[in-house]
Amino acid sequence: MSRELFFCTECGYESRKWLGRCPGCGAWNSFASAPGPPKKGRTVRRGASGAAPVPINEAAAAVQVRQPTRIAGIDRVLGGGLVAGSVVLLAGAPGIGKSTLMLQLAGQLARPGSPVLYVSGEESAQQVGLRARRLGIDRPEVLLLPETSCPAVFGHLEGVNPAAVIVDSIQTMTVDEIDAPAGSVGQVRQAAARFQELAKSSGVPVLLAGHVTKDGMIAGPKLLEHLVDVVLSMEGEPGHDLRILRAGKNRFGTVAELALFSMTDHGLEEVHNPSAWLLDDRQAGAPGSAVAVAIEGTSPLLVEVQALVTPSRLGTPRRVAQGFDPSRLALLLAVAGRSTGAAFGERDVFVNIVGGLSIREPALDLAVTAALLSSAADRPLPEDLAIFGEIGLLGEVRAVSRAEDRLREAAAMGFGRVAIPARQAEAGEAGEIVRIARVADLAGLLRPA
Ligand code: TYD
Ligand code: MG
């Protein structure tokens, strides 16, 4: 008999009884039941890999074996390729491009003598085959297995000795011991645990696709985070081609790197010059447009910030931010209103980071505020101006990190002028540097309408 357990579908918190509110993450109504693991009697548990204690000064010598995926952005985000025996979860909203990326990865990883097993629980072999054709993947070493049962998958592994196992998606996989539908908390946990065991015991890396659901009804990647070694999340705005890949967790590397891809007719293509890509449709010279120099991951990145400030017909004017923290926007509006007298109180305010990228970096403050003031005054900023700097509550402009890299990127993208915090330590060569001490100084940058 297995006893019943309850899990928070948001964060994986485990409890013997159902709880209305999760003590782990505070989510309401997020608990779902799942059978616990069957009791096996009291045996001393041996390590699955039979590992013996190792002196700590010798531990580093056991070098991680990494397999490059031959997709540069993914290798960078992973920290140099797939680690042998690791489990990587690729999480993202339905339709974002997980299956596309997984199939492209399969095509890159498979080589004669080291095939890749692509387990498809969602689509038929024919559907995946059609997609592969569209993506130009015709390697016979990509072995397609339409299957949803974990034991059946493991049965096919013998004798295959794959370079990697790809599972699309973990929500479709089932184990026999659990009497619950695919996608339920118990099934997803157990299936993921099985693949984790498989990876650890065989050294074969396993990639799991996992859907992110907002309603928390389906056991989501939050629940899986604890069970895998690396979580890659794929983001993007509906209607935009840009896809952003970041590591939310990485046991074998940093979480700082990100990779940008563009969804094309023949799959995901890495964007090698993100600044150029993001500034492609820039509305240069239009009031409300500003170019910010951000640092995303470890690289500087130029993005267009657009602001629209219009008279409001509502008692409480609207504040809408896309790709930017709404509470940060509220703060910037308060500071800018106070410092410059601009009357934001009776106006609707919209801010958008163009391209669908979401940026949470204080260094964007100055560009966002410049765009707001530009729209409010209906006066454009100079076309060749790029901007970075953080804004404090008193309207002061504060220095930010990595000014040198930001200036270099702005110069490389042809920006002749860069507005930077007045207190920023000197920062390498660039065109003209405009030092900004206070928010009110931004008004001096606006050109006549
Ligand atoms: P998909 O990889 O199926 O998403 P997921 O597995 O995350 O649900 O991608 C779905 C979308 O991608 C779909 O709207 C079609 C689009 N797409 C392209 O634009 N180009 C392509 O080459 C492919 C394969 C898909
Ligand atoms: Mg899919």
Side-chain angles (χ1 to χ4, degrees), residues 95 98-100 122-123 131 168 209 211:
K98 297 179 297 297
S99 300
T100 306
E122 295 200 341
E123 290 155 312
R131 179 182 290 137
D168 186 10
H211 298 300

Side-chain angles (χ1 to χ4, degrees), residues 71 73-74 77 88-105 118 131 135 168 207-214 221 225 230-238 240-249 257-264 267-271 356-358:
I71 297 179
I74 295 189
V77 172
V88 177
L89 173 71
L90 177 65
I96 197 83
K98 297 179 297 297
S99 300
T100 306
L101 187 64
M102 293 291 221
L103 202 53
Q104 287 181 260
L105 269 170
Y118 190 102
R131 179 182 290 137
L135 297 172
D168 186 10
L207 293 125
L208 309 173
H211 298 300
V212 177
T213 50
K214 287 217 172 79
E225 266 170 31
V230 180
V231 180
L232 300 181
S233 58
M234 199 172 184
E235 296 156 29
E237 295 279 312
H240 285 282
D241 296 338
L242 190 70
R243 298 289 180 271
I244 304 118
L245 199 70
R246 333 172 179 251
K249 163 181 176 178
E257 285 292 351
L258 87 174
L260 301 186
F261 294 88
S262 155
M263 181 60 96
T264 71
L268 290 156
E269 272 176 18
E270 193 165 2
V271 176
L357 200 65
S358 206

